[in-house]
Amino acid sequence: MSSAGTNGAGSGKGASVTLSNLEKTYDRASAAAKAVDGVSLDIRSGEFLTMLGPSGSGKTTTLMMIAGFETPTAGDIAIDGKSVVAMPPYRRNIGMVFQNYALFPHLTVEENVGFPLKQRGVPKAERARLVAEALELVHLPGYGARYPRQLSGGQQQRVAVARAVVFKPRLLLMDEPLGALDKQLRENLQLEMRRLHADLGITFIYVTHDQEEALTMSDRIAVMNDGKVAQVGTPEDLYDRPENRFVAGFIGESNFLPAVVRGVENDVVIAECDGALIRALCPGRPSSGEKVTLTTRPERLRFADSTWIGEQMPQNRLSVTVTEAVFAGERCRYMLQAGDGTSIVLKEPSSAAIRRRAVGERAEIAWSVADTILV
Amino acid sequence: MSEIAQPASLALAVSRPRSPPFDWRRAVPFLLAAPLLLYMVVLYALPVVAMLLRSVNDPTWTLANYATLLDDVVFQKTFWITINTSVTVTLGCLILGYPVAMGLVRARSMAPFILVIILLPFWTSVLVRSYAWMVLLGRHGLVNEALLALGMIDRPIRILNTPLATQIAMIHILLPYMILPIANALRQIDPSLIRAASGLGSTPFMTFRQVILPLSMSGVAAGTLLTFVLALGFYITPAMVGGPRDITLSMLIAQQVDQLNWAYAATLSAVLLATALAILAVARKLPGVGNAFKTSMR
């Protein structure tokens, strides 16, 4: 649009980013200490992609390599098809929001937001107009003359966002930008980030260790563990069809049932678990007799003697004993034990009409094949 | 304060006796410092006050001593040389010291080593260092020998006993006072600010000018003040390596004391002290410098 506009070659307003076998080793002596270990990701133009993982999983290091603050030990980073590995950060034209905001304390809000424009030689009048526009976008008009220290954490965060998008980058990187804020404010800002993403249409790469944040905001999530990508997919993919035990355990709560494969029918594997035959979805073809782990979500399990109005009782059943029953308002949470000693959590929506189970009571639980995954 | 807490504090206020008994525990810090305090008052503060008083009561209560300074050519020339030397030395320290401070902050594993190099001369007496400069800058000193060997000069040049010698030696001696406050200010700059600037399109030079330099100004101000005020009162070094005609205020004071010209010496001392205090007072009012005082106190 203006001299602040970019001249990227890709389609749409957002940049596409390709990471190929990206590696980062800090300690050259031991190759074992890889902070990032062979990460390959295709981030589409205009996508909101979140890198989610525990601390030390390599998500921030990966982000820093995309921004140019860290140099990859091996592999390549291409933005809109062009490798940027050799390019210094100040030439990459990427917007970035830091966890601690990194606002310049000696500059006013206006000067902070205008900073990237000044570096690009945007004339003063044009700069003032774009800064006002950006402050409008983050709902902070009229705050231009203040200094960062005069603003609340949430306001500082908005200024940091305004500063990162004022020069119309095609890619915005965010490193746990809501990490330092309280829960209420975080939830508000999560919605605002989504709105901003929709308004700007540019590519967002967002780093967080908060799974709820990742699930609410992202188009796709890359779950990181131990320097590797554990799984990439939409929030539904990750929650309903985790590909491995780490993803199943890291996102939401999961039950893990040890089982032995007894047969395969189409995409469904039949496994024996504590004497019962359990059917599970499985993309691969495990061989008969193989020891496997089945996973299922606590809220997808039900007691078999519940009333099943207008639906069939699901196929998967298991006999259990109630070992703990906790009433938590909107739901009841039961700890159950299978005959082989496996602990199982079941969450039941609470209702005065449903009989509460007592500790020690024997029961049968039932759940559908679609909610059972072999990991 | 919560409503529940109020009655309790009210009750406390009521039950407090009108004149509390003397609490000996409060006097302990004072008592611990008392011997030194007494020592300082008797042996330092009183003589200084007595000395300064001589500028206004010798031979009688009068301001004549100060009035004569107004058309005293020797004083005026000396005062000018002192200010001139201090400004030159301070600028020299700033230009040479700032890069060193940056290096000190950026060097990770080398930092303690660099710090020792900076502080090593700091732990040597000024007298020894001034003697060292006499040896280096002399007619057959290392500097002249090196210049001769390089063929840059035909015969030894005069460096010792010139204003240049004073400046070189004083810059060397005062450098740590400039480097340390600047390094302190630089160390407090959040590294993510420098990353942010770079990510927002700022080249390393622009980042230095727009982020690092302005954020280190408090240290620059503190270092400049410290160096300048110390340079104002320097005596040993200019006396040893400086020119015989380039007399600084402190040298003139010493000379007058030698000649038992107490009133004149006292008047000059008062002027020197007043100049230093005036500079500090004005500098404190400058924006950003006030913070430097707080920072350097930390």
Side-chain angles (χ1 to χ4, degrees):
Chain A
M1 57 170 289
S2 65
S3 44
T6 60
N7 44 14
S11 60
K13 283 193 204 163
S16 64
V17 181
T18 310
L19 311 180
S20 333
N21 292 311
L22 209 55
E23 275 185 29
K24 178 71 187 178
T25 314
Y26 285 106
D27 184 8
R28 262 165 231 162
S30 75
K34 280 181 182 165
V36 173
D37 187 3
V39 166
S40 293
L41 262 181
D42 265 309
I43 300 152
R44 299 165 198 145
S45 165
E47 186 172 32
F48 193 134
L49 182 119
T50 299
M51 290 195 276
L52 172 69
S55 56
S57 60
K59 56 192 193 305
T60 296
T61 309
T62 304
L63 195 76
M64 291 300 159
M65 286 194 280
I66 299 172
F69 302 133
E70 300 280 2
T71 315
T73 314
D76 192 44
I77 301 165
I79 297 178
D80 285 329
K82 271 179 252 154
S83 173
V84 294
V85 169
M87 200 185 271
Y90 53 88
R91 289 194 44 224
R92 293 194 187 187
N93 213 35
I94 298 173
M96 172 111 198
V97 180
F98 291 82
Q99 181 168 15
N100 63 353
Y101 322 131
L103 296 177
F104 303 118
H106 61 299
L107 301 180
T108 62
V109 166
E110 214 159 47
E111 288 165 335
N112 262 289
V113 178
F115 186 90
L117 300 173
K118 198 173 167 190
Q119 314 311 310
R120 288 165 173 76
V122 177
K124 223 171 175 178
E126 174 82 350
R127 218 151 74 198
R129 192 179 64 74
L130 289 170
V131 167
E133 216 176 85
L135 287 177
E136 191 92 40
L137 189 72
V138 296
H139 301 309
L140 276 181
Y143 281 77
R146 301 206 193 175
Y147 281 92
R149 61 173 175 276
Q150 297 170 310
L151 304 180
S152 69
Q155 289 169 331
Q156 288 186 28
Q157 207 274 340
R158 286 159 198 254
V159 174
V161 171
R163 187 178 66 174
V165 300
V166 70
F167 58 102
K168 321 266 184 230
R170 292 163 46 76
L171 174 60
L172 181 64
L173 309 181
M174 288 183 274
D175 183 15
E176 310 223 9
L178 308 180
L181 304 173
D182 59 61
K183 196 169 185 291
Q184 180 88 47
L185 198 56
R186 264 160 87 133
E187 281 168 8
N188 288 340
L189 284 168
Q190 280 170 16
L191 294 176
E192 266 192 53
M193 291 284 186
R194 271 234 65 104
R195 177 187 58 83
L196 198 70
H197 177 249
D199 284 358
L200 296 172
I202 64 174
T203 310
F204 276 34
I205 303 180
Y206 192 98
V207 160
T208 184
H209 64 265
D210 182 332
Q211 45 147 318
E212 212 177 295
E213 199 166 291
L215 291 173
T216 343
M217 298 169 73
S218 326
D219 293 329
R220 281 197 307 158
I221 300 170
V223 181
M224 304 274 298
N225 182 36
D226 231 357
K228 298 185 178 74
V229 177
Q231 188 177 350
V232 192
T234 62
E236 291 86 351
D237 280 341
L238 296 176
Y239 195 82
D240 290 344
R241 289 173 292 282
E243 280 169 12
N244 49 58
R245 196 176 168 138
F246 176 79
V247 174
F250 189 71
I251 296 179
E253 203 176 354
S254 284
N255 290 306
F256 295 105
L257 311 173
V260 180
V261 177
R262 290 292 176 232
V264 181
E265 281 174 7
N266 301 324
D267 281 348
V268 174
V269 64
I270 302 164
E272 190 184 326
C273 173
D274 190 25
L277 286 181
I278 306 290
R279 284 155 202 274
L281 295 180
C282 175
R285 299 225 144 240
S287 49
S288 199
E290 197 182 324
K291 284 187 176 170
V292 293
T293 302
L294 308 179
T295 178
T296 179
R297 301 286 180 186
E299 76 279 8
R300 310 252 163 120
L301 302 178
R302 288 169 72 179
F303 287 108
D305 59 3
S306 313
T307 39
W308 302 86
I309 301 164
E311 55 184 326
Q312 276 194 332
M313 199 196 295
Q315 273 182 294
N316 288 334
R317 315 263 178 86
L318 200 62
S319 296
V320 293
T321 310
V322 178
T323 57
E324 203 181 307
V326 179
F327 175 71
E330 58 181 296
R331 59 183 57 203
C332 288
R333 185 192 159 91
Y334 292 102
M335 284 294 286
L336 313 169
Q337 196 170 46
D340 63 356
T342 309
S343 293
I344 298 167
V345 180
L346 179 149
K347 287 181 189 166
E348 183 178 60
S350 70
S351 160
I354 298 178
R355 187 176 68 82
R356 299 261 312 276
R357 318 275 155 165
V359 172
E361 194 177 323
R362 290 197 54 83
E364 192 179 34
I365 54 171
W367 71 98
S368 88
V369 177
D371 289 328
T372 320
I373 315 289
L374 189 147
V375 292
Chain B
M1 185 183 289
S2 75
E3 283 171 55
I4 301 160
Q6 229 159 3
S9 69
L10 263 173
L12 255 177
V14 170
S15 67
R16 189 180 290 157
R18 257 170 247 147
S19 59
F22 185 72
D23 187 354
W24 280 100
R25 276 169 301 181
R26 288 196 186 181
V28 167
F30 178 77
L31 289 174
L32 288 173
L36 177 66
L37 215 61
L38 195 70
Y39 176 88
M40 291 295 283
V41 167
V42 172
L43 295 174
Y44 184 75
L46 289 179
V48 166
V49 170
M51 178 69 190
L52 290 175
L53 275 177
R54 291 189 90 144
S55 69
V56 285
N57 71 358
D58 192 352
T60 54
W61 285 99
T62 172
L63 284 173
N65 288 328
Y66 289 94
T68 55
L69 288 185
L70 292 174
D71 40 33
D72 178 343
V73 181
V74 175
F75 162 75
Q76 278 159 18
K77 191 183 169 219
T78 311
F79 190 75
W80 169 240
I81 289 173
T82 308
I83 298 286
N84 190 23
T85 307
S86 302
V87 169
T88 314
V89 167
T90 305
L91 282 178
C93 284
L94 184 58
I95 291 163
L96 293 174
Y98 198 102
V100 176
M102 281 193 80
L104 179 65
V105 173
R106 295 234 172 145
R108 284 174 202 161
S109 54
M110 290 285 281
F113 179 66
I114 296 175
L115 197 66
V116 166
I117 291 182
I118 293 168
L119 288 177
L120 208 57
F122 213 45
W123 298 323
T124 325
S125 106
V126 178
L127 196 65
V128 171
R129 278 181 287 170
S130 300
Y131 266 120
W133 280 111
M134 283 176 81
V135 172
L136 288 173
L137 299 174
R139 233 184 133 61
H140 301 290
L142 212 60
V143 173
N144 263 321
E145 295 293 331
L147 289 175
L148 281 170
L150 287 169
M152 292 172 80
I153 50 173
D154 297 332
R155 65 185 102 117
I157 51 165
R158 185 188 164 91
I159 311 173
L160 191 63
N161 301 327
T162 66
L164 180 65
T166 306
Q167 287 157 13
I168 291 173
M170 280 177 69
I171 286 173
H172 165 240
I173 291 164
L174 290 173
L175 257 176
Y177 295 98
M178 183 65 88
I179 294 172
L180 296 179
I182 294 177
N184 187 39
L186 287 172
R187 205 172 284 120
Q188 281 170 23
I189 298 176
D190 180 355
S192 73
L193 292 181
I194 291 156
R195 283 190 160 185
S198 177
L200 293 166
S202 182
T203 62
F205 177 71
M206 291 195 289
T207 303
F208 173 76
R209 239 199 42 213
Q210 296 175 50
V211 180
I212 299 173
L213 192 59
L215 286 175
S216 66
M217 277 322 280
S218 63
V220 169
T224 302
L225 267 179
L226 205 58
T227 311
F228 187 79
V229 169
L230 285 172
L232 273 184
F234 243 57
Y235 170 67
I236 296 173
T237 309
M240 286 173 70
V241 303
R245 258 168 286 151
D246 305 303
I247 294 174
T248 63
L249 215 47
S250 53
M251 285 162 76
L252 187 61
I253 294 168
Q255 210 180 68
Q256 296 307 313
V257 170
D258 274 350
Q259 294 167 14
L260 301 179
N261 207 345
W262 290 103
Y264 190 41
T267 311
L268 293 174
S269 303
V271 169
L272 186 57
L273 184 63
T275 309
L277 289 176
I279 287 164
L280 286 175
V282 171
R284 269 198 106 133
K285 294 274 188 276
L286 295 177
V289 182
N291 293 333
F293 279 95
K294 283 175 217 148
T295 312
S296 55
M297 295 295 266
R298 243 181 256 151

